[in-house]
Amino acid sequence: MLISETKPNSRAISIVGVMDLIYFGTLSGLAIMMPFFPFQGLTGPIVNAIILIAVVILGLRRALLICILPSMVALSSGLLPFVLAPMIPFIILGNMLLAIVFEKLYKQNFWSAVGVGALAKFGFIFVAGQIVIKFFINQTVSSKILALISWPQFLTALGGGVIAFVFLKTIKKI
């Protein structure tokens, strides 16, 4: 809530609301910028870290909004190979699955939450990728596509967990 009542006819901006807005804007901006950095080994973990950090700082609903941004920017700006376009909804859903699983588990054990979330994301995107490749993608490039949507998804989610942990420990949110 950004505005709270202090007197019947006056309003004051809540500091908490302003901080949430700043965090959301910063994390969203970073998520939007990340596709412009071409090295997946770095951008993937950072995007996953942004999602996990958003869950802890902003809550699940706002984190789910952030999950949509990197893939949509990568596709709409032409940074993502067009052949991967049919995978975009599944990559977004995989990011959301990571956020949901992490949110359910991180208060009990951060590392278990990261691991289970990473496995869930990887499993979902891998299975969806198998189906999409079978029906929508030319078989001559399917092995390259499969390499992008398989184990790297798991590793970048784990890497994102490490980055998120260091960041959240630094700001004392976990």
Side-chain angles (χ1 to χ4, degrees):
M1 183 167 103
L2 286 178
I3 299 176
S4 61
E5 294 290 330
T6 56
K7 294 182 184 177
N9 292 329
S10 68
R11 294 177 186 232
I13 297 176
S14 164
I15 297 299
V16 173
V18 170
M19 291 308 297
D20 280 352
L21 190 58
I22 290 170
Y23 288 139
F24 183 78
T26 301
L27 292 171
S28 296
L30 288 171
I32 287 168
M33 289 179 4
M34 288 318 302
F36 293 100
F37 296 94
F39 182 57
Q40 177 61 18
L42 181 60
T43 59
I46 292 173
V47 166
N48 284 292
I50 290 167
I51 292 168
L52 300 176
I53 291 166
V55 168
V56 173
I57 293 177
L58 299 170
L60 183 60
R61 286 181 25 193
R62 292 182 186 125
L64 292 176
L65 290 173
I66 292 172
C67 288
I68 299 167
L69 300 174
S71 297
M72 294 305 295
V73 169
L75 181 63
S76 64
S77 65
L79 296 169
L80 192 69
F82 185 70
V83 71
L84 281 177
M87 281 301 301
I88 294 299
F90 302 105
I91 293 170
I92 291 170
L93 289 172
N95 286 340
M96 290 179 166
L97 189 57
L98 171 66
I100 292 166
V101 170
F102 178 76
E103 193 272 336
K104 297 294 180 207
L105 301 174
Y106 86 91
K107 289 179 183 169
Q108 287 93 356
N109 185 297
F110 183 90
W111 294 112
S112 293
V114 169
V116 174
L119 278 173
K121 175 182 178 173
F122 156 74
F124 176 78
I125 291 175
F126 184 75
V127 169
Q130 298 287 332
I131 295 166
V132 168
I133 286 171
K134 185 175 183 175
F135 291 108
F136 297 105
I137 296 178
N138 180 334
Q139 296 303 311
T140 59
V141 296
S142 64
S143 62
K144 291 178 184 173
I145 303 299
L146 198 53
L148 291 172
I149 60 169
S150 61
W151 62 269
Q153 294 296 323
F154 179 67
L155 294 178
T156 59
L158 289 179
V162 171
I163 294 167
F165 181 81
V166 170
F167 177 82
L168 292 167
K169 270 293 195 194
T170 301
I171 66 165
K172 311 239 186 297
K173 285 288 184 180
I174 59 171

